[in-house]
Amino acid sequence: MEKKKSKKLMEQVQMLLSERGQKAFEIAKKTILQEKIKYEPMCEALHYFMKETWYDVQHPALISLTCEAVGGNPEAMTQIGAAMILLAGSADIHDDIIDKSEIKDSKPTVLGKFNKDVALLVGDALLFIGLTLLHEACEKLPRKQGQTILDLTKQAFFEIASAEAKEAGFKGKYDLTPEQYYKVIEMKAAAAEANARIGAILGGGNPKEIDALGHYGRTLGILMTIRDDFIDMFEPDELSNRAKNECLPLPILYAFRDTRKKSEIARLLMTNNITEQETQKILNLIIDMKEVQELKKQMQMLVKKSEHALNCIKRNRKILKLLLQSTLEDL
């Protein structure tokens, strides 16, 4: 994988996601910024999160695309999309606390800029406000449809919480198998499946379409996470934190199947702060290994299977496939 400044396919996807999710993001942002929080540091932290670090358009964009894919009006999902942005933000902050992630994308997280107590409370605030938005949006829908969306959301976030708890038990374990960590990745993709199903339900999709799009969402979530794992191997700070406080990236776990290289990679990972030079050494050891190439082939197979499952969908198939294919770019 080459670290490039320009990724044509991914740039197209980012533009598409912004176009589809921007309105929901603005609603989410406005909702947070107008909240009257008496404790100034918490108010400042909420504003910092929504203005500086959390630009989530992918969750509402997926709802919009799947709603339209079954013939629905994507405008009908905006408030639910905004709620999902806040709920995902809450989960992200809590995840940072668990993983002790103080820097992301070269910016301090809420945990890194403020402190653990403030971060925890900001995550809680996003959760409460997000649930309120979601409940208000579902009340405007037919009762059965609204309840189904609430149930899907609850199930997805319970599954994500279970994944986080499971992952916490794997911290620092260099004998963790790729299969064990892959299961965690599958569970974390529950939010993407829920969003895809919610969009299809809002659009009036039939059971076959809803299931197909749900499967698509789960697969897309898995692929995006694995892609992020590849990217994390290029970032010394992220790689160092993962070696200390999280699970190692999936490609490294695959590389550990070569016992000779495992000892060499582990030695480099155990330094206090991994440098650019050490990161490059790890990449040189890993990137062309047959075990890592096999992982890339598995990703390609996931894309093909998910594309095939979209055959029953009449609209947006090209766009939905583009999202899948973008996860393979430059790998």
Side-chain angles (χ1 to χ4, degrees):
M1 177 179 178
E2 297 179 9
K3 192 178 181 182
K4 299 181 180 180
K5 291 183 179 179
S6 177
K7 293 184 174 66
K8 185 177 178 182
L9 189 58
M10 188 54 74
E11 285 176 356
Q12 291 179 39
V13 166
Q14 291 301 328
M15 288 176 62
L16 172 66
L17 295 178
S18 293
E19 178 186 327
R20 290 295 189 138
Q22 186 64 36
K23 187 174 180 181
F25 177 77
E26 292 301 332
I27 290 173
K29 184 177 176 181
K30 182 179 178 181
T31 301
I32 292 300
L33 298 186
Q34 69 186 10
E35 285 291 330
K36 296 184 181 357
I37 308 288
K38 292 183 179 180
Y39 184 53
E40 185 58 30
M42 186 173 169
C43 183
E44 184 184 346
L46 273 167
H47 283 229
Y48 173 75
F49 183 69
M50 292 304 298
K51 289 180 177 179
E52 302 293 335
T53 68
W54 190 242
Y55 182 59
D56 176 12
V57 288
Q58 61 267 28
H59 286 92
L62 185 55
I63 299 174
S64 173
L65 288 168
T66 53
C67 176
E68 190 175 68
V70 295
N73 174 15
E75 292 295 320
M77 52 58 60
T78 307
Q79 188 172 344
I80 289 177
M84 293 302 176
I85 289 170
L86 299 182
L87 293 176
S90 171
D92 188 73
I93 290 177
H94 289 155
D95 187 36
D96 286 345
I97 294 169
I98 294 169
D99 296 337
K100 300 179 183 177
S101 295
E102 297 186 354
I103 300 287
K104 273 185 180 177
D105 299 324
S106 302
K107 282 187 178 182
T109 61
V110 173
L111 174 66
K113 186 173 178 66
F114 298 89
N115 58 54
K116 182 178 178 180
D117 294 340
V118 169
L120 179 62
L121 293 170
V122 166
D124 290 346
L126 291 169
L127 176 63
F128 297 144
I129 298 167
L131 287 173
T132 299
L133 265 184
L134 181 63
H135 187 265
E136 289 174 352
C138 288
E139 280 192 325
K140 300 172 186 175
L141 300 172
R143 185 173 180 179
K144 185 177 179 180
Q145 191 180 65
Q147 188 59 53
T148 300
I149 290 170
L150 289 172
D151 289 343
L152 281 170
T153 305
K154 179 181 72 173
Q155 291 163 11
F157 281 91
F158 278 180
E159 188 171 354
I160 292 168
S162 296
E164 294 291 352
K166 194 170 186 176
E167 185 177 17
F170 292 151
K171 286 181 183 180
K173 291 189 176 180
Y174 283 20
D175 59 347
L176 178 67
T177 67
E179 291 77 17
Q180 287 174 310
Y181 179 48
Y182 188 85
K183 183 61 180 175
V184 171
I185 292 174
E186 283 184 320
M187 294 168 72
K188 284 185 175 182
E193 177 176 348
N195 286 328
R197 285 183 178 273
I198 286 169
I201 289 167
L202 289 170
N206 60 45
K208 184 177 180 180
E209 291 171 327
I210 293 169
D211 284 343
L213 289 168
H215 178 270
Y216 167 85
R218 178 76 69 161
T219 302
L220 181 64
I222 291 168
L223 289 167
M224 290 299 292
T225 301
I226 297 175
R227 179 180 178 82
D228 286 343
D229 272 18
F230 271 100
I231 292 171
D232 282 352
M233 294 196 303
F234 286 87
E235 306 294 340
D237 289 340
E238 189 65 35
L239 188 56
S240 185
N241 192 65
R242 290 193 66 158
K244 293 174 186 175
N245 302 310
E246 305 177 55
C247 290
L248 291 171
L250 188 60
I252 292 180
L253 295 178
Y254 270 94
F256 275 3
R257 285 179 166 166
D258 183 321
T259 54
R260 184 182 60 81
K261 285 194 175 182
K262 178 179 179 178
S263 60
E264 195 172 351
I265 296 165
R267 179 182 58 80
L268 291 167
L269 289 170
M270 287 177 183
T271 57
N272 286 332
N273 290 296
I274 298 171
T275 64
E276 288 276 0
Q277 186 178 17
E278 287 162 340
T279 300
Q280 190 58 54
K281 286 180 180 179
I282 292 169
L283 286 168
N284 291 341
L285 286 167
I286 289 173
I287 210 66
D288 292 324
M289 289 181 66
K290 65 177 183 179
E291 291 84 357
V292 177
Q293 295 305 313
E294 184 60 35
L295 172 58
K296 294 177 184 179
K297 289 179 182 178
Q298 289 179 30
M299 293 176 73
Q300 292 166 359
M301 286 300 300
L302 282 173
V303 168
K304 288 180 181 178
K305 287 181 180 179
S306 193
E307 286 179 340
H308 180 73
L310 289 174
N311 286 341
C312 67
I313 305 300
K314 296 182 175 60
R315 302 172 182 83
N316 283 353
R317 273 194 297 180
K318 185 176 180 180
I319 295 173
L320 294 172
K321 288 179 180 181
L322 181 72
L323 265 63
L324 288 171
Q325 292 159 5
S326 71
T327 65
L328 303 176
E329 187 177 39
D330 294 334
L331 292 187

